[in-house]
Coordinates of all heavy atoms in Angstrom, one line a residue:
A406 N -7.4 -11.5 -7.8 CA -6.6 -10.3 -8.2 C -7.5 -9.1 -8.4 O -8.6 -9.2 -9.0 CB -5.8 -10.6 -9.4
I478 N 3.8 17.4 6.7 CA 4.4 16.1 6.2 C 5.9 16.2 6.2 O 6.5 15.2 6.7 CB 3.9 15.9 4.7 CG1 2.4 15.7 4.7 CG2 4.6 14.6 4.2 CD1 1.8 15.8 3.3
K483 N 11.0 14.3 8.5 CA 12.3 14.6 9.1 C 12.4 14.0 10.5 O 13.4 13.3 10.9 CB 12.5 16.1 9.2 CG 13.9 16.4 9.7 CD 14.1 17.9 9.7 CE 15.5 18.3 10.3 NZ 15.7 19.7 10.4
V491 N 7.4 9.8 -0.5 CA 6.1 10.1 0.0 C 5.4 11.0 -1.1 O 6.0 12.0 -1.5 CB 6.2 10.8 1.4 CG1 4.8 11.3 1.8 CG2 6.7 9.9 2.4

Side-chain angles (χ1 to χ4, degrees):
I478 300 166
K483 183 178 178 185
V491 173

